[in-house]
Amino acid sequence: MTTEPVTGSTGVQPAFYRLGAFCHRRKWLVIALWMVGFALALPSVGKLPDRLSQGGFEVPGSQSDQVRIALQTEFNDQSQFSDLLVIRSTSLTANDAEFRRVFQNVKAELEKAPGVAKVADPYASPDRTISRDGHTAIAQVALSDTQDAALKHANEVSAAVKRGVGNAKVEALITGSAPFYAAFTETTENDLKRAEAIALPITIAILVVAFGSLIAAGAPVALALLSLVIAFGLVSVVASQTTVSVFTQNIASMIGIGVGIDYSLFILTRFRTELKTGRGVAESVAHAMATSGKAVFVSALTVAVALSGTLLVNLAAFRSMGGGAMIAVAVAGAAAL
């Protein structure tokens, strides 16, 4: 059984019907163009982690921002960022020779680490920097780095602390914005990878049960991952020119995979339904695009417009998270169509 192509009230086939027909007619060209986009995005994706920023939370023109600029320009303050070194021992006190030796070793290693300007001496003001029981001491570590550079050097600074301690019975830890965000980013990335490693097989299994075909089930997942890589490439290009928060990658990944699977699933489900009515492959593709394809386009546009509200917030980090999510949705929608 076959049916006539869809036509509008004017007798002209709808735009999405024609788009579907074109994509089927030129399928190898369409696939080739997306593969080229994927290949072009890969180099930029590799550079994305180094281009992301832990900054972007300053409000331009605010009092705090004016003070920051004044410190840099009028007072030549290049160490406005600092970490805090914490040294403790359950068996030794700060006045013990081994405790002092560990501090001096850690201090020497830190001052050789990138971005470290100076390590304060806790023994200079013991009433403020050594605990009452004497088992814990703190020392301010002044940084010459910017926020972004401090984030990149955080692991090297932490490694310097470990080298300074060696096998001594003293524990030394470094804390502050840079170590915190470095650990936060590493934890988030590892957890996302673990979550995706668990969620994707489950998703594929559900789709296999629903479709009864591994190829049909794998198509939405493969398309979502393809579009996410391209979205990351675009975000990386943006990050090379302006401030993009480290959280942008996580937001774009979560939203991109979700909508990417959904959008392609909608169209694929309608395509399979059209096939069961007796239509040919070409006409089924065109009908699926004229119905579900149109819905996907409207959905992607709606989500992007909703997310555009984040661009009105006068914080570069917040705008970049919203912008990254918009890119992920737009690419996922385009890939599905």
Side-chain angles (χ1 to χ4, degrees), residues 112-131:
K112 293 187 292 185
V116 175
K118 182 181 179 183
V119 180
D121 186 354
Y123 296 97
S125 303
D127 55 324
R128 299 180 60 185
T129 55
I130 297 178
S131 64

Side-chain angles (χ1 to χ4, degrees), residues 58-226:
E58 302 88 358
V59 179
S62 65
Q63 293 185 17
S64 60
D65 192 50
Q66 292 177 38
V67 170
R68 179 182 63 82
I69 295 174
L71 286 172
Q72 288 179 323
T73 58
E74 299 180 30
F75 294 93
N76 194 32
D77 182 10
Q78 299 300 319
S79 61
Q80 55 176 315
F81 303 113
S82 64
D83 289 341
L84 187 68
L85 175 66
V86 180
I87 303 179
R88 66 182 300 274
S89 173
T90 56
S91 59
L92 303 174
T93 67
N95 291 321
D96 290 331
E98 185 177 358
F99 196 107
R100 287 177 175 268
R101 179 184 61 78
V102 170
F103 168 72
Q104 292 299 331
N105 289 344
V106 172
K107 180 176 183 292
E109 290 291 340
L110 277 175
E111 290 180 342
K112 293 187 292 185
V116 175
K118 182 181 179 183
V119 180
D121 186 354
Y123 296 97
S125 303
D127 55 324
R128 299 180 60 185
T129 55
I130 297 178
S131 64
R132 291 181 181 179
D133 62 7
H135 289 289
T136 304
I138 60 173
Q140 187 176 31
V141 181
L143 304 178
S144 58
D145 276 338
T146 61
Q147 279 186 322
D148 294 340
L151 177 62
K152 295 174 183 176
H153 294 151
N155 290 333
E156 295 178 73
V157 172
S158 296
V161 173
K162 291 181 179 179
R163 287 196 302 271
V165 174
N167 297 322
K169 298 179 180 179
V170 178
E171 183 181 23
L173 302 170
I174 192 80
T175 184
S177 295
F180 170 80
Y181 280 110
F184 184 92
T185 301
E186 182 180 356
T187 300
T188 303
E189 289 178 351
N190 291 337
D191 287 350
L192 278 175
K193 289 177 182 177
R194 189 168 72 250
E196 290 167 359
I198 296 172
L200 286 179
I202 295 175
T203 301
I204 293 174
I206 294 172
L207 293 174
V208 168
V209 172
F211 285 127
S213 166
L214 183 60
I215 295 177
V221 176
L223 196 61
L225 295 177
L226 170 72

Side-chain angles (χ1 to χ4, degrees), residues 242-288:
T242 187
T243 300
V244 173
S245 171
V246 293
F247 305 114
T248 301
Q249 186 174 6
N250 302 331
I251 297 295
S253 177
M254 289 186 291
I255 294 179
I257 291 179
V259 299
I261 292 175
D262 278 351
Y263 289 163
S264 54
L265 182 61
F266 293 156
I267 297 175
L268 181 59
T269 301
R270 184 55 187 253
F271 166 75
R272 287 165 62 88
T273 301
E274 295 294 337
L275 277 179
K276 291 178 181 179
T277 65
R279 301 184 194 275
V281 172
E283 194 176 351
S284 294
V285 170
H287 275 268

Side-chain angles (χ1 to χ4, degrees), residues 1-24:
M1 180 181 71
T2 59
T3 55
E4 295 299 320
V6 174
T7 57
S9 57
T10 60
V12 179
Q13 293 169 339
F16 284 92
Y17 183 97
R18 298 197 302 273
L19 176 60
F22 171 82
C23 286
H24 180 267

